Amino acid sequence: MTYPVLAALSAVLLPFVGFLLQALMGKRSQNGAIALITIALSLLAAGYTFAQVWGNEPIHVQWRWFTIGQQVFYVGLMLDNVSVLMLLLVAFVALPVHAYSVAYMKGDSGIHRYWTYLSLFCSAMLGLVVADNLLLMYVCWELVGFASYLLIGFWFTRGAAVAANKKAFIVNRIGDIGFLIGFAILYSFLGTLDLNTLFGQEGLFATASGAEASGIIAHPKIPAGWLTTAGLAFFLGAMAKSAQFPLHVWLPAAMEGPTSVSSLIHAATMVAAGVFLLARIFPLFDDTALLVIATTGAVTAFVAAYFALTQYDIKKILAYSTISQLGFMMVGIGIGMYQLALFHLVTHAFFKCLLFLGAGAVIHELQHLNDKHQLGIDPQDIRHMGGLRKYMPITFVTMLIASLALAGFPLTAGYLSKDALLIHAFEWAALQNGASVAIPYVLAVASFFTSFYILRLLAKVFLGSPAVGVMTSARPHEASAWMLVPMLVLAACSLFPLFTTSPLNYGQVWLLQKILPMAALPPLPLLHVLVPLLTTMATVAMTLLVWQWYVKQKYPLKAGGLFFRLSQQQGYVDVFYDRIVAAAVLRCSNVLFWVDKHIIDGAVNGLAALGRILAAIAGWVDQRLVDGFVKLVGKLAWGLGNVLRRSQTGRLQDYMASVFFIILVILLYHLIVQA
């Protein structure tokens, strides 16, 4: 076993060991030391693995797992540029979240459970990104879902938290069925689930070279219809896990969990798993599947950004922001540029994690003031904030950096990845026909919405005057060092130097140079100037608009119009699910319950009653007839035995008399016969 393999195994197993130790220790593991140490060591192991594998030949190792009939299944690690990048990213983002949690979760009565669940969650996600086959990936996929269920419902005494984790679990089960169907189709036709065998450079699928962004050569053993079905089935799994419309409803509800959990789920772990899966199996998708992915991503990006415009819950704004950015990534997959989707996934991980941690710092402080002064406010409602820049300057600066990165402003990492996606979306659309040419324009509108809602959040939270007067006298204070240091680290990672020395040219990004696909889109040079210029101008315009509306309080619109209500009520999608889908399921369940109780149970109970009657009849026959006949034979034998026993007297004259009697009978018989 080579050192990179050993390091990768350590990166995955160390958090799992932490999970086991904390589960055994129970309430004695409240300080989080075990979780912190194991994730820190995991990060070191992931960093070593990345340094050894990045830019070099992939490493693939396998061990025998189990056997069914003649089929042997293996478990192993697939270490290539994509997997080690994700391995490092997950561990790198998880460590600041762990450190932040020390202060954020301090004093919580269930803190020992928090650390246990968090370690399991990280281990499952790390295992998912290095799994070498679809079955092992599916196992880790389910573990990630299970751990997220535990974390979202961490405060299980709250009814909303319980409803949220159930919603997340059920919606993700819909997607998991798709994942299961997808790899079942591949296994049925090809007899293997090994990623290297299927999608490696010399695997059963190969990416065509040439001008097309996604020329796919399907393996001849899979008919075209089944190939499309398999691709769409896998996409269904990614839709649920990465919260694509209309399966996005679980992610805003998941905000009922601790904010530190939200930051990890939204950054580089659970919601990123769907994008990673599609990038991993990218050669599988034909043109039909890719068009569906791109269209769904564009709709999701627009709809989620539109919903975020009017939300008042700070975490829900960021939740819809995550959904929208995941839509951008899906478009990257759909246009054949999966490396851009992964690049945006990486940059988004840093600034979105930072946004959630900053929001958590604000919520933490407002909750403290709310409890101390009995304000009776919702600490997550941005209408109860304002003016916090004076009291929490470091939090403000870090969130400003993250917000600019989200908006795609120059000198940030988000500018590089987001504009790259927009540019290539327009280049892709130039080769298309029909309604698909609208996809980049939909993304552009979603990008403008993004600038507005994130700047609105900043203005409502940090600028202007405090909405609650007591905050001026109470003087909110900055978060503790345990919370600020992770935020500062993530702020540095949200700027361009981590990815390139050329802040305005994404072509020089080191990450993209190692995971480029064989195919590329025909470049349109004008777009490389026009798109960044327009998006930057849009951000500046939105800044001026937000300043007028929310800082100078010159808001000209009336709340309550159709479009406002449609945005604030999230398109009434949840209402539709509750009143139509859930109600229909409940009605169907009631019908099935009636059928089960009165027909199926009635038939079963009727058969049971008939069985009891037949058993009674059989018992009577057995007892009265069969047993009676047997007893009669016994009694006859017993009587005959008594008669014969009494003839055995031991006296000679009795025996002579008996012989005489027998001879007499025989003579009489002969006389009668002769007569």
Side-chain angles (χ1 to χ4, degrees), residues 245 248 302-311 320 566-567 570-571 573:
F245 184 87
H248 67 284
F302 172 81
V303 168
Y306 173 60
F307 293 165
L309 294 176
T310 57
Q311 300 303 309
Y320 281 112
L566 194 63
S567 172
Q570 301 102 53
V573 176

Side-chain angles (χ1 to χ4, degrees), residues 338-421:
Y338 74 90
Q339 85 285 5
L340 292 179
L342 289 175
F343 178 36
H344 193 51
L345 187 157
V346 173
T347 61
H348 176 263
F350 294 123
F351 61 73
K352 185 52 61 66
C353 185
L354 175 55
L355 282 170
F356 269 104
L357 296 187
V362 171
I363 294 168
H364 189 268
E365 181 58 20
L366 286 189
Q367 183 64 58
H368 172 71
L369 293 178
N370 191 33
D371 295 340
K372 183 177 180 181
H373 298 281
Q374 300 297 312
L375 302 179
I377 64 172
D378 180 358
Q380 295 183 194
D381 193 328
I382 60 174
R383 290 173 295 185
H384 299 154
M385 301 176 190
L388 291 177
R389 178 180 59 84
K390 294 187 296 183
Y391 308 106
M392 306 178 73
I394 299 177
T395 300
F396 168 69
V397 170
T398 56
M399 286 197 72
L400 175 63
I401 292 172
S403 299
L404 292 175
L406 175 62
F409 200 73
L411 305 183
T412 65
Y415 169 83
L416 296 168
S417 60
K418 193 175 180 181
D419 281 3
L421 273 173

Side-chain angles (χ1 to χ4, degrees), residues 8-308:
L9 271 177
S10 300
V12 175
L13 294 179
L14 278 167
F16 187 74
V17 171
F19 158 72
L20 294 177
L21 290 175
Q22 289 166 127
L24 291 173
M25 292 179 65
K27 292 186 177 181
R28 291 173 293 174
S29 62
Q30 295 190 12
N31 60 7
I34 295 175
L36 268 171
I37 292 171
T38 53
I39 197 63
L41 294 175
S42 178
L43 174 58
L44 291 176
Y48 176 81
T49 305
F50 179 84
Q52 294 298 311
V53 175
W54 182 259
N56 298 319
E57 287 296 316
I59 299 174
H60 184 207
V61 293
Q62 289 183 317
W63 300 275
R64 191 185 187 95
W65 193 3
F66 61 90
T67 302
I68 299 178
Q70 301 298 318
Q71 180 67 51
V72 179
F73 289 86
Y74 294 90
V75 60
L77 301 178
M78 184 65 194
L79 304 178
D80 58 7
N81 288 341
V82 173
S83 64
V84 297
L85 174 66
M86 288 297 298
L87 187 75
L88 180 62
L89 178 66
V90 173
F92 188 88
V93 172
L95 181 58
V97 172
H98 278 68
Y100 180 95
S101 299
V102 172
Y104 188 79
M105 297 298 294
K106 185 178 181 180
D108 193 285
S109 58
I111 186 65
H112 60 286
R113 292 186 293 105
Y114 175 83
W115 294 118
T116 304
Y117 300 161
L118 200 61
S119 293
L120 176 63
F121 184 84
C122 292
S123 179
M125 187 63 199
L126 290 166
L128 188 151
V129 299
V130 296
D132 79 321
N133 66 80
L134 290 170
L135 180 58
L136 180 59
M137 184 179 287
Y138 183 74
V139 172
C140 294
W141 182 277
E142 292 293 341
L143 277 174
V144 168
F146 173 66
S148 68
Y149 167 83
L150 296 174
L151 287 167
I152 294 168
F154 174 73
W155 287 312
F156 58 85
T157 55
R158 302 179 184 177
V162 173
N165 72 351
K166 286 193 293 185
K167 179 183 283 190
F169 193 81
I170 292 170
V171 172
N172 275 276
R173 293 293 72 71
I174 297 172
D176 294 347
I177 292 172
F179 194 139
L180 190 62
I181 292 172
F183 78 68
I185 292 173
L186 290 184
Y187 184 77
S188 298
F189 283 102
L190 303 177
T192 182
L193 297 173
D194 185 88
L195 290 171
N196 190 49
T197 303
L198 291 170
F199 308 112
Q201 294 181 353
E202 299 179 358
L204 299 177
F205 295 88
T207 306
S209 59
E212 293 183 357
S214 57
I216 306 300
I217 302 174
H219 193 272
K221 290 184 179 180
I222 303 184
W226 282 109
L227 182 69
T228 302
T229 303
L232 293 177
F234 278 114
F235 178 55
L236 178 61
M239 277 182 68
K241 194 71 79 177
S242 293
Q244 296 297 286
F245 184 87
L247 300 181
H248 67 284
V249 291
W250 69 269
L251 195 54
M255 297 302 96
E256 293 296 333
T259 306
S260 49
V261 169
S262 302
S263 67
L264 192 57
I265 288 177
H266 286 248
T269 52
M270 184 173 177
V271 297
V275 177
F276 171 76
L277 170 67
L278 299 188
R280 205 70 165 126
I281 63 172
F282 177 77
L284 171 70
F285 301 114
D286 60 8
D287 291 337
T288 302
L290 288 174
L291 183 59
V292 171
I293 294 171
T295 304
T296 304
V299 171
T300 301
F302 172 81
V303 168
Y306 173 60
F307 293 165

Side-chain angles (χ1 to χ4, degrees), residues 414-493:
Y415 169 83
L416 296 168
S417 60
K418 193 175 180 181
D419 281 3
L421 273 173
L422 278 171
I423 290 168
H424 283 279
F426 278 104
E427 290 177 343
W428 173 83
L431 303 175
Q432 307 303 310
N433 296 312
S436 59
V437 299
I439 287 177
Y441 296 96
V442 173
L443 287 185
V445 175
S447 180
F448 299 156
F449 285 172
T450 301
S451 298
F452 178 83
Y453 69 67
I454 196 61
L455 292 171
R456 168 180 174 262
L457 183 150
L458 279 178
K460 296 285 283 184
V461 175
F462 292 101
L463 304 178
S465 302
V468 181
V470 74
M471 288 202 322
T472 305
S473 58
R475 297 189 63 83
H477 58 78
E478 191 62 89
S480 69
W482 278 103
M483 298 169 71
L484 288 179
V485 171
M487 292 165 61
L488 290 170
V489 171
L490 291 169
C493 295

